[in-house]
Amino acid sequence: MADDQAVFAEGVVKRFGDVVALDGMDLTVERGQVVGLLGPNGAGKTTMVRILSTLLTPTEGVARVAGFDVVRQPDEVRRVIGLTGQYAAVDEYLTGRENLRMFGGLYHLESSYVKRRSQELLDSFELSEAADRPVRTYSGGMRRRLDLASSLIAKPSILFLDEPTTGLDPRSRLGMWAVIEGLVAEGTTVLLTTQYLEEADQLAQDIVVIDHGRVIAHGTAEALKDQIGGDRIEITVMNIAQAGAAAEVLRSLGNGAPLVEEAKVSAPVSGGSTVMISAIRALDSAGIEVTDLLLRRPTLDDVFMSLTGHAAEDEQQAQPKRGRKGKTS
Amino acid sequence: MSSAAPMQGRPILGWAIHDGLVVARRNLIQSIRVPESLFFSLVQPVIFVLLFAYVFGGAIPIPGDGATQEDAAAAYRNYLMPGIFGQTVAFAAAASTVGIAEDMRKGLIDRFRALPMSHGAVLTGRTFADAARQILVLAVLSITGLVVGWRITGGVLNAIYAYLLLLLFAYTVAWIGATIGLSMPNPETASTAGLAWLFPLTFLSNAFVPISSMPAWLQTFAAFNPVSTLVLATRELFGNPTGIQPDYWPLQNPVIYTVLACAVLITIFATLSVRKFGRTTSK
């Protein structure tokens, strides 16, 4: 197997009872690459990361990290990876520094090195002032940064980030992005999962879109956006009965099938603001009253609508019952 | 990336012990950072001592001891203290249950499982720390006991054996508690389930009443209940009144039976919990 592949997975299947969380996932991440795993809740993102980080064993298929088989060589895998999950998995009664010291000890690192490295991480993640306060007193963003710092104590060459910014306010999110970009610049291989197209776009060179535990699209952010038709025009009609007529208008203007959700009608378009003017004229002459009209960048919903024909939120039902098998988002 | 992180040399005692100590250290720091929790874990047994010593006082007669009413009350206090010791260390299990359940909820167990560390260490570290905390609890309890009239009359060495036996039992139930914690869906359920089994375990014993006062069918259970043999053994070692024992082997050999029971229970629950730990993921 080629050692320059940080992650190699082929035909990975994971079943929890009757629920199929992963249904034949293929994934390759080259060394030094940043790959974003994009998908709605329940698509299988977390399950995939858990398999790659040895927390779950696949039902079928092969998965290797840095050339090591995740099932047969879990300890070798654990030595080269860092994992940051959806929760800030740090001890809240310990101080930031004590957490780093504990994790350094558990990685069996030299204690003088742990001391030096902790300070380095605390400084670069803007935690040095809070370093000797219990984590309980930290904000959500600070906890996430400490969580990430903890997974970097042993300088892992491959980093798994499972929804690193979910639940963070916009400012903390930007801070987290800056930290991740710094790691990437140093050459760390990153596999990150996210529900946000914007986040994948910002951080990842390569985006893998998954749904129902399978890869449904793969490419750069630009390629994916082109594939789903660029900008979208979205209107809200005053009278819901006119939604159908509005959809016909958009079909004549746009370059893709319109989507109707109650009073909201949207369609992919090209041509920027001139298409807005044409839309207003066409709607007016058709006698359709609108309460809102806007032109926007495609969202994850649009990606899903375009790729799968269903909205991203529907996927929540596919999540198995919360139980000891864990989450499969 | 820059140069690789330097590794420690292999410690003399091996990585499993090293990792266990790192985790134990973390759990002990936790108890210092939450003084409220430590405070209440001390106050509760002290309240028990005072309640039983003064409310039940001489109402529970200890066969074979105390001629007058006052003698009977003093005898009961001496009889009671080992019972409170036994009950207190047994209830320490609940802390392990809740602690493990909270670590799972916070995703810490996942993080530990993704580290190249000894997996048993997370559990040995926790159970060790939970048992170690009982040293302080036993010290405070002993002082309270001495204040209400409890006396050690069995010699220093025997008293040390008694405390060691209590700590061994605390360590044993911590493993049972940890196993329960790993099976619980959330910390709330864990705090209920962590206590539920401890009430029958400690009250269906000789901790507060002599086994000879129980109905026959209950006597059998109480005689084989390791809490009973622990309490009886500490009574004997401290030189406190023991009452009259029904004819059961564990009650004739309480120290041996308690040590054997602890060894068997630790083996079973350490195996179960370490196996469970390898499969558990966050809730």
Side-chain angles (χ1 to χ4, degrees):
Chain A
M1 68 211 69
D3 199 37
D4 54 333
Q5 276 175 352
V7 174
F8 172 81
E10 199 173 52
V12 173
V13 173
K14 181 67 187 177
R15 279 187 288 268
F16 298 108
D18 292 339
V19 181
V20 181
L22 292 178
D23 190 16
M25 268 284 284
D26 300 325
L27 183 68
T28 306
V29 182
E30 304 293 336
R31 281 211 186 260
Q33 213 186 6
V34 186
V35 171
L37 213 49
L38 181 69
N41 278 332
K45 303 187 299 290
T46 297
T47 306
M48 191 62 194
V49 168
R50 283 170 172 273
I51 285 174
L52 294 174
S53 52
T54 75
L55 294 176
L56 287 175
T57 46
T59 315
E60 288 168 33
V62 181
R64 284 194 293 266
V65 173
F68 301 114
D69 187 282
V70 296
V71 178
R72 281 180 291 119
Q73 299 161 292
D75 272 331
E76 284 82 354
V77 172
R78 288 172 191 142
R79 252 184 274 280
V80 296
I81 61 164
L83 169 67
T84 292
Q86 291 177 34
Y87 319 87
V90 285
D91 189 310
E92 56 177 356
Y93 299 109
L94 266 53
T95 66
R97 199 186 302 278
E98 284 167 346
N99 266 290
L100 294 176
R101 183 178 165 187
M102 170 175 74
F103 290 119
L106 294 175
Y107 271 111
H108 305 159
L109 302 173
E110 241 175 48
S111 68
S112 61
Y113 164 81
V114 171
K115 223 170 260 176
R116 219 168 48 236
R117 176 76 173 153
S118 301
Q119 191 56 51
E120 204 175 288
L121 289 166
L122 290 165
D123 288 341
S124 60
F125 290 4
E126 289 170 38
L127 290 168
S128 35
E129 264 176 56
D132 298 304
R133 273 186 3 224
V135 173
R136 264 196 298 189
T137 64
Y138 285 22
S139 70
M142 289 162 78
R143 281 175 196 230
R144 286 291 181 92
R145 293 205 298 276
L146 179 64
D147 187 28
L148 182 55
S150 307
S151 56
L152 294 173
I153 193 98
K155 295 190 181 173
S157 58
I158 301 165
L159 193 58
F160 297 123
L161 301 174
D162 190 14
E163 304 204 6
T165 66
T166 298
L168 289 185
D169 60 57
R171 199 172 141 257
S172 309
R173 171 168 300 163
L174 290 178
M176 200 69 183
W177 284 0
V179 167
I180 296 168
E181 279 164 352
L183 293 170
V184 172
E186 285 176 47
T188 310
T189 306
V190 178
L191 177 65
L192 98 141
T193 77
T194 181
Q195 303 183 47
Y196 310 112
L197 184 61
E198 191 196 359
E199 184 161 284
D201 194 0
Q202 173 82 23
L203 298 172
Q205 301 141 351
D206 213 9
I207 298 176
V208 176
V209 185
I210 66 170
D211 189 33
H212 293 301
R214 302 185 73 107
V215 175
I216 54 171
H218 180 196
T220 63
E222 282 316 305
L224 285 174
K225 276 183 190 162
D226 288 349
Q227 195 179 334
I228 64 167
D231 292 349
R232 293 185 78 88
I233 190 167
E234 184 178 294
I235 61 173
T236 308
V237 294
M238 180 96 82
N239 181 353
I240 209 161
Q242 290 185 319
E248 284 316 304
V249 171
L250 290 192
R251 189 187 300 278
S252 64
L253 291 167
N255 49 12
L259 157 69
V260 183
E261 284 168 291
E262 295 183 352
K264 208 179 266 182
V265 185
S266 68
V269 291
S270 51
S273 54
T274 55
V275 84
M276 293 285 273
I277 297 163
S278 325
I280 292 167
R281 287 203 182 112
L283 289 165
D284 186 47
S285 63
I288 300 167
E289 283 187 271
V290 301
T291 56
D292 197 15
L293 177 112
L294 60 95
L295 190 68
R296 60 169 171 78
R297 302 291 299 150
T299 64
L300 179 58
D301 266 353
D302 303 323
V303 175
F304 269 80
M305 192 51 70
S306 150
L307 292 170
T308 68
H310 62 82
E313 282 97 81
D314 295 345
E315 294 313 290
Q316 305 236 1
Q317 292 153 3
Q319 254 190 311
K321 279 178 295 196
R322 288 191 141 220
R324 71 175 62 153
K325 293 292 161 45
K327 299 181 54 161
T328 57
S329 55
Chain B
M1 200 147 200
S2 46
S3 60
M7 305 289 288
Q8 272 179 53
R10 190 184 149 81
I12 302 158
L13 295 172
W15 287 120
I17 304 232
H18 167 272
D19 294 349
L21 289 174
V22 172
V23 176
R25 183 174 180 278
R26 166 228 169 192
N27 286 319
L28 288 171
I29 293 177
Q30 273 190 348
S31 28
I32 298 164
R33 294 284 153 74
V34 199
E36 299 88 347
S37 136
L38 192 62
F39 177 76
F40 285 108
S41 71
L42 292 172
V43 161
Q44 197 189 326
V46 168
I47 289 175
F48 263 105
V49 172
L50 300 176
L51 277 180
F52 276 91
Y54 294 105
V55 178
F56 295 97
I60 303 170
I62 310 306
D65 289 291
T68 67
Q69 185 72 25
E70 220 158 273
D71 283 353
Y76 184 68
R77 278 172 211 170
N78 275 311
Y79 179 81
L80 168 75
M81 279 311 296
I84 302 261
F85 285 138
Q87 187 205 34
T88 304
V89 292
F91 270 80
S96 312
T97 307
V98 174
I100 289 275
E102 277 182 352
D103 281 355
M104 285 200 297
R105 158 121 93 201
K106 288 178 198 149
L108 262 169
I109 296 287
D110 276 358
R111 159 150 277 159
F112 287 137
R113 285 187 56 224
L115 292 179
M117 62 180 285
S118 151
H119 279 174
V122 175
L123 298 163
T124 45
R126 151 131 348 242
T127 49
F128 183 77
D130 286 344
R133 249 196 312 266
Q134 294 302 307
I135 296 173
L136 184 63
V137 176
L138 288 174
V140 171
L141 259 184
S142 299
I143 293 164
T144 316
L146 292 170
V147 170
V148 302
W150 169 66
R151 292 292 175 266
I152 297 173
T153 56
V156 176
L157 200 60
N158 279 342
I160 292 171
Y161 287 149
Y163 284 117
L164 288 178
L165 202 58
L166 287 163
L167 290 174
L168 172 66
F169 195 77
Y171 187 64
T172 307
V173 292
W175 278 107
I176 304 177
T179 310
I180 296 173
L182 284 169
S183 320
M184 291 295 122
N186 56 52
E188 291 74 23
T189 314
S191 67
T192 313
L195 282 174
W197 60 285
L198 290 166
F199 282 100
L201 185 76
T202 52
F203 281 93
L204 300 180
S205 78
N206 61 3
F208 306 110
V209 295
I211 290 179
S212 51
S213 70
M214 296 176 185
W217 60 273
L218 212 52
Q219 286 194 11
T220 312
F221 178 86
F224 285 89
N225 181 349
V227 175
S228 296
T229 58
L230 169 73
V231 170
L232 179 58
T234 44
R235 278 179 186 139
E236 287 180 2
L237 292 165
F238 282 136
N240 295 143
T242 58
I244 294 160
Q245 306 311 322
D247 194 16
Y248 289 99
W249 188 85
L251 299 177
Q252 309 308 324
N253 307 277
V255 176
I256 299 170
Y257 180 82
T258 307
V259 172
L260 283 178
C262 287
V264 170
L265 289 170
I266 290 174
T267 310
I268 294 172
F269 284 95
T271 311
L272 276 179
S273 59
V274 171
R275 193 178 300 168
K276 212 163 176 46
F277 183 88
R279 296 203 215 102
T280 312
T281 55
S282 273
K283 305 299 186 296

